[in-house]
Amino acid sequence: MAGVLRRIQRGGIHPSIKGEVWEFLLGCFDPNSTSEERNELRERRREQYAAWKSECQKIVPVIGSGKFITTPIISDDGGPIEESSNPSFPSDVMREVPINDGDTDKKLIQWKLVLHQIGLDVVRTDRSLVFYESEANQAKLWDVLAVYAWVDNDIGYVQGMNDICSPMIILLENEADAFWCFERSMRRLRENFRSTTTSLGVQSQLSTLGQVIKAIDPKLHQHLEELDGGEYLFAIRMLMVLFRREFSFIDALYLWEVMWAMEYNPNTYMIYEEPRDSSSASLKNGDIKMNYKQLKQYGKFERKNVKTGGIEQKSALAVFLVAGVLEAKNKKLLKEAKGLDDVVQILGELTGNLDAKKALKEALKVHSKYLSKAKKL
């Protein structure tokens, strides 16, 4: 595994095996598993996905039909919308919410309300790609997101998840495999999508970003604070959808896999499969007394965190990528940003124009600088 991680960190993954390697990087499989064990696990997961999809299909029959919806199927209070006002899909989709207990009703209503929003986002997802010229492929993305929203009823679906899921639909031919790859990626990212009236899920990362910039570039941090940007809310999109806007599609995928390789923890599969097991919890934090050979099984970024005693374990590499972007635009931000709108505009100029290799190099440089400063504090 150490050799594989080094190769990914140097040059990414060949397109023909991206999907398969991503499954490992995201913790779908134990790195020590056999081909037979993986096939058995894959079959069990496919069956589980089919069961969940069947549940959803019984409620909204358009799921799994090769089509999807972009208009509401129920009103905000859960009542059916008249067929005449929604001629775009069959009347059997207009099924009243079953009367069960209140919690189930609430779950069903929330889920049904979000289905058309998923559809609207699917239509906008990676529109320039030939893959999505096919309605069947768009429907596949919609199905996976709809089933995920049903299963994860705590967070459900939030705009931006479509950008995370889309590459998995493209890379993994089997829909269930794509679902599980997406589900594993959401284990890492789902808290970013949690929001309430008083807080944003991504707030802890924004807070860490503020600490990083304050430590490595106090002048820039002070300038952003004076512009009322000290909460770094302008970086929300970068963190939530992992730079899908800032890089080209190909560069974004390269960036993800190198990030995941650098953050790789060989115990991830065990942590995900047995989240309540105390031994897994201890493994999650890493054992800083482990020998060199064990340490080499970790990604470069994660290894440095483990070696330094888990400093800033919550700081994903994505935070340092944003910090690196801000550092690269340091002079322009200090000179030209007279308000938050200017900050947003300067960062907006990066859309589709960043180079992944340079950005990663800068992020690791910022990370080393930050760890060095953190030790002195």
Side-chain angles (χ1 to χ4, degrees), residues 66-218:
K67 298 187 179 297
F68 60 99
I69 59 174
T70 54
T71 47
I73 59 173
I74 60 168
S75 58
D76 287 346
D77 62 2
I81 291 175
E82 291 299 319
E83 185 182 352
S84 59
S85 66
N86 242 332
S88 60
F89 47 90
S91 59
D92 60 356
V93 174
M94 308 297 192
R95 193 174 293 182
E96 290 185 18
V97 177
I99 304 300
N100 295 307
D101 59 90
D103 287 338
T104 307
D105 284 352
K106 186 178 177 183
K107 175 185 173 179
L108 275 166
I109 291 169
Q110 286 303 116
W111 180 66
K112 282 188 168 187
L113 283 171
V114 85
L115 290 178
H116 79 282
Q117 182 58 56
I118 296 175
L120 290 170
D121 290 344
V122 161
V123 171
R124 292 190 285 258
T125 305
D126 295 323
R127 283 180 297 184
S128 62
L129 301 182
V130 175
F131 181 85
Y132 285 117
E133 288 177 6
S134 158
E135 186 184 14
N137 288 335
Q138 288 183 317
K140 190 173 169 184
L141 175 60
W142 184 74
D143 284 347
V144 167
L145 291 169
V147 174
Y148 181 81
W150 173 255
V151 175
D152 185 0
N153 62 327
D154 180 25
I155 291 178
Y157 172 80
V158 179
Q159 195 169 39
M161 289 182 182
N162 52 307
D163 290 309
I164 305 297
C165 187
S166 172
M168 288 138 195
I169 298 294
I170 295 169
L171 294 175
L172 293 153
E173 190 176 343
N174 185 283
E175 186 180 308
D177 297 345
F179 170 87
W180 285 106
C181 195
F182 173 63
E183 191 271 347
R184 285 308 195 246
S185 69
M186 286 304 298
R187 296 281 190 116
R188 306 164 67 97
L189 298 168
R190 69 191 290 275
E191 289 305 313
N192 285 356
F193 291 94
R194 187 190 296 278
S195 63
T196 65
T197 51
T198 56
S199 69
L200 292 165
V202 78
Q203 216 147 23
S204 62
Q205 285 194 327
L206 294 175
S207 176
T208 302
L209 175 62
Q211 293 169 25
V212 171
I213 297 297
K214 188 175 182 180
I216 65 163
D217 194 341

Side-chain angles (χ1 to χ4, degrees), residues 266-336:
N267 303 307
T268 300
Y269 168 78
M270 193 185 301
I271 293 162
Y272 287 169
E273 290 298 301
E274 303 174 89
R276 294 179 183 84
D277 183 77
S278 57
S279 62
S280 297
S282 65
L283 285 168
K284 190 172 186 177
N285 297 321
D287 178 2
I288 58 172
K289 293 179 183 178
M290 67 180 68
N291 62 41
Y292 180 72
K293 187 177 178 183
Q294 289 172 309
L295 203 56
K296 291 287 281 183
Q297 306 303 310
Y298 286 74
K300 187 176 180 180
F301 180 82
E302 181 71 2
R303 189 161 65 237
K304 189 171 281 190
N305 276 336
V306 172
K307 282 171 74 175
T308 52
I311 294 173
E312 296 299 335
Q313 280 288 335
K314 292 179 182 176
S315 304
L317 181 51
V319 170
F320 293 94
L321 274 159
V322 178
V325 167
L326 293 174
E327 278 295 273
K329 290 291 179 182
N330 170 303
K331 289 179 183 175
K332 190 161 188 167
L333 287 166
L334 289 172
K335 186 179 178 181
E336 298 179 19

